[in-house]
């Protein structure tokens, strides 16, 4: 589209993500230990004054766009009993849960976040987004210290539950080739339903 874009990423951002953004022509700025610190720089540094800031997990249109994943899941797996959605800033969980629950209210939507950055659970306990203790995690894309305000309001309303997973579980799924763009289907007996993941946490 020819629109100049500056992307801020934390120091732990995988090289693949950084390289791919640069390959698309983006100006990539590396800053901070996590997404929260990178976001703060984008909002406060005079260097970025005058630029339109788009929050990658809390912008209303981004959240709405995430809902298309929920639509695609039910289109491909209309028999799904529950859907597991990764949760960082909560935008993907919010949009997907809204779409899934609107089309199939009986389908359970479960958010999953790393124990090392349990920001959604912290928000639930506080009743509003708050900063959660954060340490490096294999799920670097989910290491968002404070969930988005818009995303939280929607996800709290439509997600059925939130689970936390440790680094061993995250590493196991990554080694198995499972990511946010992938799909894992356990057996009905193992998962307790169709389209599930059996990690000892889910029904």
């Amino acid at each position: 589209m020819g629109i100049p874009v500056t992307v801020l990423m934390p120091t732990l951002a995988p090289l693949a993500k950084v390289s791919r953004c640069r390959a698309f022509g983006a100006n990539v700025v590396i800053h901070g230990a996590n997404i929260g610190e990178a976001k703060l720089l984008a909002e406060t540094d005079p260097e970025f004054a005058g630029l339109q800031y788009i929050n990658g997990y809390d912008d209303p249109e981004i959240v709405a766009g995430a809902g298309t994943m929920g639509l695609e899941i039910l289109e491909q797996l209309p028999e799904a009993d529950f859907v597991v959605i990764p949760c960082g800033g909560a935008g993907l969980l919010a949009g997907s849960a809204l779409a899934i629950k609107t089309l199939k209210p009986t389908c359970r939507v479960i958010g999953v976040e790393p124990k090392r950055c349990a920001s959604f659970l912290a928000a639930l306990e506080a009743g509003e987004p708050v900063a959660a203790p954060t340490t490096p995690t294999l799920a670097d894309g989910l290491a968002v210290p404070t969930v988005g305000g818009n995303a939280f309001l929607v996800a709290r309303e439509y997600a059925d539950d939130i689970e936390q997973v440790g680094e061993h579980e995250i590493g196991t799924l990554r080694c198995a080739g499972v990511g946010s763009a992938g799909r894992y289907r356990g057996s009905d007996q193992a998962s307790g339903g169709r389209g599930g993941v059996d990690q000892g946490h889910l029904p």
Side-chain angles (χ1 to χ4, degrees):
M1 298 176 65
I3 301 175
V5 174
T6 295
V7 179
L8 281 90
M9 296 185 180
T11 55
L12 293 178
L15 181 60
K17 291 183 180 179
V18 175
S19 299
R20 190 164 298 177
C21 285
R22 285 176 173 157
F24 277 111
N27 170 38
V28 179
V29 177
I30 305 297
H31 175 83
N34 54 57
I35 294 175
E37 293 183 6
K39 174 178 178 290
L40 180 62
L41 180 71
E43 294 175 323
T44 60
D45 195 309
E47 177 184 350
F48 308 117
L51 299 181
Q52 175 64 49
Y53 175 69
I54 299 176
N55 188 306
Y57 53 85
D58 200 45
D59 184 271
E61 294 186 3
I62 295 290
V63 175
T68 61
M69 190 182 84
L71 299 179
E72 292 178 8
I73 289 173
L74 289 185
E75 181 179 308
Q76 297 179 35
L77 295 171
E79 76 281 10
D81 295 314
F82 60 90
V83 177
V84 180
I85 307 291
C87 181
L92 184 63
L93 176 61
S96 298
L98 173 57
I100 291 169
K101 289 301 221 179
T102 299
L103 295 177
K104 188 177 181 181
T106 59
C107 182
R108 285 175 54 79
V109 178
I110 302 168
V112 180
E113 65 182 354
K115 290 181 179 178
R116 292 188 175 186
C117 187
S119 54
F120 193 84
L121 181 60
L124 285 176
E125 293 176 345
E128 61 182 357
V130 294
T134 303
T135 54
T137 171
L138 289 171
D140 60 278
L142 303 183
V144 182
T146 307
V147 298
N150 297 319
F152 174 68
L153 291 176
V154 177
R156 179 177 62 179
E157 180 71 21
Y158 290 96
D160 292 289
D161 201 0
I162 185 75
E163 295 284 350
Q164 297 180 46
V165 292
E167 297 304 290
H168 175 74
E169 293 164 320
I170 296 170
T172 298
L173 289 176
R174 291 189 65 169
C175 288
V178 179
S180 59
R183 183 177 73 187
Y184 178 87
R185 298 187 67 179
S187 68
D188 288 357
Q189 181 178 6
S191 65
R194 292 175 291 276
V197 177
D198 178 20
Q199 284 293 317
H201 296 285
L202 308 181

mmCIF file of all heavy atoms in Angstrom, residues 110-122 125 161-167 169-170 199-202:
data_model
loop_
_atom_site.group_PDB
_atom_site.id
_atom_site.type_symbol
_atom_site.label_atom_id
_atom_site.label_comp_id
_atom_site.label_asym_id
_atom_site.label_seq_id
_atom_site.Cartn_x
_atom_site.Cartn_y
_atom_site.Cartn_z
ATOM 1 N N ILE A 110 -11.618 -21.155 25.703
ATOM 2 C CA ILE A 110 -10.672 -21.141 26.818
ATOM 3 C C ILE A 110 -9.409 -20.390 26.408
ATOM 4 O O ILE A 110 -8.758 -20.735 25.428
ATOM 5 C CB ILE A 110 -10.310 -22.574 27.240
ATOM 6 C CG1 ILE A 110 -11.587 -23.333 27.624
ATOM 7 C CG2 ILE A 110 -9.316 -22.569 28.400
ATOM 8 C CD1 ILE A 110 -11.397 -24.813 27.778
ATOM 9 N N GLY A 111 -9.096 -19.346 27.153
ATOM 10 C CA GLY A 111 -7.863 -18.612 26.909
ATOM 11 C C GLY A 111 -6.715 -19.265 27.654
ATOM 12 O O GLY A 111 -6.890 -19.803 28.743
ATOM 13 N N VAL A 112 -5.530 -19.227 27.051
ATOM 14 C CA VAL A 112 -4.348 -19.813 27.672
ATOM 15 C C VAL A 112 -3.217 -18.789 27.671
ATOM 16 O O VAL A 112 -2.903 -18.204 26.627
ATOM 17 C CB VAL A 112 -3.894 -21.084 26.921
ATOM 18 C CG1 VAL A 112 -2.657 -21.677 27.582
ATOM 19 C CG2 VAL A 112 -5.015 -22.114 26.889
ATOM 20 N N GLU A 113 -2.625 -18.562 28.839
ATOM 21 C CA GLU A 113 -1.525 -17.617 28.940
ATOM 22 C C GLU A 113 -0.367 -18.242 29.708
ATOM 23 O O GLU A 113 -0.551 -19.166 30.507
ATOM 24 C CB GLU A 113 -1.978 -16.329 29.622
ATOM 25 C CG GLU A 113 -2.403 -16.492 31.072
ATOM 26 C CD GLU A 113 -2.889 -15.178 31.685
ATOM 27 O OE1 GLU A 113 -2.802 -14.128 31.029
ATOM 28 O OE2 GLU A 113 -3.350 -15.217 32.834
ATOM 29 N N PRO A 114 0.852 -17.764 29.471
ATOM 30 C CA PRO A 114 2.006 -18.317 30.190
ATOM 31 C C PRO A 114 1.998 -17.927 31.662
ATOM 32 O O PRO A 114 1.611 -16.805 32.009
ATOM 33 C CB PRO A 114 3.209 -17.710 29.449
ATOM 34 C CG PRO A 114 2.679 -16.459 28.839
ATOM 35 C CD PRO A 114 1.244 -16.733 28.496
ATOM 36 N N LYS A 115 2.426 -18.858 32.514
ATOM 37 C CA LYS A 115 2.501 -18.551 33.946
ATOM 38 C C LYS A 115 3.450 -17.387 34.207
ATOM 39 O O LYS A 115 3.284 -16.645 35.183
ATOM 40 C CB LYS A 115 2.984 -19.785 34.713
ATOM 41 C CG LYS A 115 1.976 -20.922 34.762
ATOM 42 C CD LYS A 115 2.525 -22.100 35.557
ATOM 43 C CE LYS A 115 1.510 -23.237 35.629
ATOM 44 N NZ LYS A 115 2.045 -24.408 36.370
ATOM 45 N N ARG A 116 4.442 -17.229 33.347
ATOM 46 C CA ARG A 116 5.439 -16.175 33.559
ATOM 47 C C ARG A 116 4.932 -14.781 33.180
ATOM 48 O O ARG A 116 5.640 -13.798 33.378
ATOM 49 C CB ARG A 116 6.708 -16.498 32.778
ATOM 50 C CG ARG A 116 7.445 -17.717 33.315
ATOM 51 C CD ARG A 116 8.788 -17.894 32.653
ATOM 52 N NE ARG A 116 9.550 -18.996 33.242
ATOM 53 C CZ ARG A 116 10.800 -19.289 32.921
ATOM 54 N NH1 ARG A 116 11.438 -18.557 32.017
ATOM 55 N NH2 ARG A 116 11.417 -20.296 33.497
ATOM 56 N N CYS A 117 3.736 -14.716 32.625
ATOM 57 C CA CYS A 117 3.134 -13.417 32.317
ATOM 58 C C CYS A 117 1.624 -13.586 32.340
ATOM 59 O O CYS A 117 0.959 -13.536 31.303
ATOM 60 C CB CYS A 117 3.607 -12.901 30.959
ATOM 61 S SG CYS A 117 3.043 -11.208 30.607
ATOM 62 N N ALA A 118 1.077 -13.782 33.519
ATOM 63 C CA ALA A 118 -0.361 -14.055 33.678
ATOM 64 C C ALA A 118 -1.143 -12.753 33.800
ATOM 65 O O ALA A 118 -1.796 -12.477 34.813
ATOM 66 C CB ALA A 118 -0.590 -14.943 34.892
ATOM 67 N N SER A 119 -1.104 -11.940 32.761
ATOM 68 C CA SER A 119 -1.711 -10.610 32.832
ATOM 69 C C SER A 119 -3.232 -10.633 32.759
ATOM 70 O O SER A 119 -3.900 -9.760 33.326
ATOM 71 C CB SER A 119 -1.146 -9.715 31.720
ATOM 72 O OG SER A 119 -1.297 -10.319 30.451
ATOM 73 N N PHE A 120 -3.805 -11.627 32.058
ATOM 74 C CA PHE A 120 -5.272 -11.676 31.990
ATOM 75 C C PHE A 120 -5.853 -12.102 33.336
ATOM 76 O O PHE A 120 -6.838 -11.535 33.805
ATOM 77 C CB PHE A 120 -5.734 -12.625 30.885
ATOM 78 C CG PHE A 120 -7.197 -12.492 30.564
ATOM 79 C CD1 PHE A 120 -7.636 -11.511 29.688
ATOM 80 C CD2 PHE A 120 -8.139 -13.325 31.141
ATOM 81 C CE1 PHE A 120 -8.996 -11.365 29.395
ATOM 82 C CE2 PHE A 120 -9.488 -13.186 30.856
ATOM 83 C CZ PHE A 120 -9.919 -12.213 29.979
ATOM 84 N N LEU A 121 -5.241 -13.091 33.956
ATOM 85 C CA LEU A 121 -5.701 -13.519 35.274
ATOM 86 C C LEU A 121 -5.566 -12.379 36.278
ATOM 87 O O LEU A 121 -6.460 -12.159 37.109
ATOM 88 C CB LEU A 121 -4.912 -14.735 35.748
ATOM 89 C CG LEU A 121 -5.315 -15.299 37.116
ATOM 90 C CD1 LEU A 121 -6.773 -15.748 37.100
ATOM 91 C CD2 LEU A 121 -4.408 -16.453 37.515
ATOM 92 N N ALA A 122 -4.470 -11.636 36.188
ATOM 93 C CA ALA A 122 -4.281 -10.493 37.085
ATOM 94 C C ALA A 122 -5.384 -9.459 36.881
ATOM 95 O O ALA A 122 -5.892 -8.873 37.840
ATOM 96 C CB ALA A 122 -2.905 -9.863 36.844
ATOM 97 N N GLU A 125 -8.647 -10.706 38.460
ATOM 98 C CA GLU A 125 -8.631 -10.587 39.918
ATOM 99 C C GLU A 125 -8.793 -9.140 40.365
ATOM 100 O O GLU A 125 -9.420 -8.863 41.392
ATOM 101 C CB GLU A 125 -7.329 -11.175 40.464
ATOM 102 C CG GLU A 125 -7.229 -12.696 40.270
ATOM 103 C CD GLU A 125 -5.897 -13.256 40.713
ATOM 104 O OE1 GLU A 125 -4.942 -12.451 40.895
ATOM 105 O OE2 GLU A 125 -5.786 -14.488 40.870
ATOM 106 N N ASP A 161 -13.167 -19.442 30.259
ATOM 107 C CA ASP A 161 -12.172 -19.728 31.290
ATOM 108 C C ASP A 161 -10.808 -19.267 30.804
ATOM 109 O O ASP A 161 -10.596 -19.029 29.606
ATOM 110 C CB ASP A 161 -12.146 -21.234 31.585
ATOM 111 C CG ASP A 161 -11.538 -21.554 32.947
ATOM 112 O OD1 ASP A 161 -11.140 -20.609 33.660
ATOM 113 O OD2 ASP A 161 -11.438 -22.744 33.291
ATOM 114 N N ILE A 162 -9.881 -19.140 31.738
ATOM 115 C CA ILE A 162 -8.489 -18.815 31.413
ATOM 116 C C ILE A 162 -7.597 -19.801 32.140
ATOM 117 O O ILE A 162 -7.800 -20.071 33.326
ATOM 118 C CB ILE A 162 -8.137 -17.355 31.799
ATOM 119 C CG1 ILE A 162 -6.732 -16.988 31.338
ATOM 120 C CG2 ILE A 162 -8.342 -17.119 33.279
ATOM 121 C CD1 ILE A 162 -6.623 -16.737 29.879
ATOM 122 N N GLU A 163 -6.665 -20.388 31.427
ATOM 123 C CA GLU A 163 -5.727 -21.339 32.009
ATOM 124 C C GLU A 163 -4.304 -20.818 31.854
ATOM 125 O O GLU A 163 -4.009 -20.031 30.951
ATOM 126 C CB GLU A 163 -5.838 -22.705 31.310
ATOM 127 C CG GLU A 163 -7.175 -23.404 31.496
ATOM 128 C CD GLU A 163 -7.322 -24.033 32.871
ATOM 129 O OE1 GLU A 163 -6.322 -24.085 33.608
ATOM 130 O OE2 GLU A 163 -8.444 -24.470 33.183
ATOM 131 N N GLN A 164 -3.433 -21.266 32.746
ATOM 132 C CA GLN A 164 -2.021 -20.906 32.666
ATOM 133 C C GLN A 164 -1.191 -22.144 32.349
ATOM 134 O O GLN A 164 -1.504 -23.236 32.821
ATOM 135 C CB GLN A 164 -1.549 -20.301 33.991
ATOM 136 C CG GLN A 164 -2.256 -19.007 34.363
ATOM 137 C CD GLN A 164 -1.757 -18.455 35.673
ATOM 138 O OE1 GLN A 164 -0.554 -18.397 35.913
ATOM 139 N NE2 GLN A 164 -2.678 -18.066 36.531
ATOM 140 N N VAL A 165 -0.159 -21.965 31.555
ATOM 141 C CA VAL A 165 0.715 -23.079 31.211
ATOM 142 C C VAL A 165 2.164 -22.712 31.512
ATOM 143 O O VAL A 165 2.557 -21.546 31.431
ATOM 144 C CB VAL A 165 0.578 -23.486 29.729
ATOM 145 C CG1 VAL A 165 -0.784 -24.103 29.462
ATOM 146 C CG2 VAL A 165 0.795 -22.286 28.814
ATOM 147 N N GLY A 166 2.941 -23.729 31.883
ATOM 148 C CA GLY A 166 4.341 -23.519 32.197
ATOM 149 C C GLY A 166 5.231 -23.656 30.978
ATOM 150 O O GLY A 166 4.786 -24.011 29.883
ATOM 151 N N GLU A 167 6.509 -23.396 31.176
ATOM 152 C CA GLU A 167 7.453 -23.421 30.068
ATOM 153 C C GLU A 167 7.614 -24.815 29.461
ATOM 154 O O GLU A 167 7.822 -24.957 28.257
ATOM 155 C CB GLU A 167 8.817 -22.892 30.538
ATOM 156 C CG GLU A 167 8.787 -21.443 30.985
ATOM 157 C CD GLU A 167 8.254 -20.520 29.891
ATOM 158 O OE1 GLU A 167 8.971 -20.335 28.884
ATOM 159 O OE2 GLU A 167 7.138 -19.994 30.057
ATOM 160 N N GLU A 169 5.289 -27.111 29.105
ATOM 161 C CA GLU A 169 4.149 -27.344 28.216
ATOM 162 C C GLU A 169 4.277 -26.522 26.940
ATOM 163 O O GLU A 169 3.995 -27.018 25.841
ATOM 164 C CB GLU A 169 2.851 -27.001 28.949
ATOM 165 C CG GLU A 169 2.547 -27.939 30.097
ATOM 166 C CD GLU A 169 1.508 -27.375 31.042
ATOM 167 O OE1 GLU A 169 1.546 -26.168 31.329
ATOM 168 O OE2 GLU A 169 0.661 -28.161 31.490
ATOM 169 N N ILE A 170 4.704 -25.286 27.082
ATOM 170 C CA ILE A 170 4.881 -24.436 25.907
ATOM 171 C C ILE A 170 5.945 -25.023 24.991
ATOM 172 O O ILE A 170 5.767 -25.113 23.777
ATOM 173 C CB ILE A 170 5.272 -23.006 26.328
ATOM 174 C CG1 ILE A 170 4.129 -22.354 27.121
ATOM 175 C CG2 ILE A 170 5.614 -22.153 25.111
ATOM 176 C CD1 ILE A 170 4.495 -21.039 27.776
ATOM 177 N N GLN A 199 -3.621 -31.166 28.002
ATOM 178 C CA GLN A 199 -2.407 -30.837 28.711
ATOM 179 C C GLN A 199 -2.610 -30.947 30.217
ATOM 180 O O GLN A 199 -1.879 -30.387 31.015
ATOM 181 C CB GLN A 199 -1.981 -29.404 28.357
ATOM 182 C CG GLN A 199 -1.350 -29.283 26.980
ATOM 183 C CD GLN A 199 -0.029 -29.982 26.915
ATOM 184 O OE1 GLN A 199 0.792 -29.877 27.823
ATOM 185 N NE2 GLN A 199 0.221 -30.710 25.851
ATOM 186 N N GLY A 200 -3.659 -31.652 30.615
ATOM 187 C CA GLY A 200 -3.893 -31.808 32.037
ATOM 188 C C GLY A 200 -4.655 -30.658 32.674
ATOM 189 O O GLY A 200 -4.882 -30.628 33.858
ATOM 190 N N HIS A 201 -5.043 -29.658 31.836
ATOM 191 C CA HIS A 201 -5.752 -28.506 32.379
ATOM 192 C C HIS A 201 -7.176 -28.430 31.871
ATOM 193 O O HIS A 201 -8.033 -27.866 32.525
ATOM 194 C CB HIS A 201 -5.038 -27.210 31.964
ATOM 195 C CG HIS A 201 -3.660 -27.095 32.524
ATOM 196 N ND1 HIS A 201 -3.414 -26.798 33.838
ATOM 197 C CD2 HIS A 201 -2.447 -27.252 31.943
ATOM 198 C CE1 HIS A 201 -2.102 -26.777 34.047
ATOM 199 N NE2 HIS A 201 -1.511 -27.040 32.908
ATOM 200 N N LEU A 202 -7.408 -28.932 30.664
ATOM 201 C CA LEU A 202 -8.684 -28.708 30.018
ATOM 202 C C LEU A 202 -9.609 -29.902 30.198
ATOM 203 O O LEU A 202 -9.154 -31.024 30.356
ATOM 204 C CB LEU A 202 -8.466 -28.449 28.518
ATOM 205 C CG LEU A 202 -7.436 -27.348 28.216
ATOM 206 C CD1 LEU A 202 -7.306 -27.156 26.725
ATOM 207 C CD2 LEU A 202 -7.848 -26.051 28.892
#
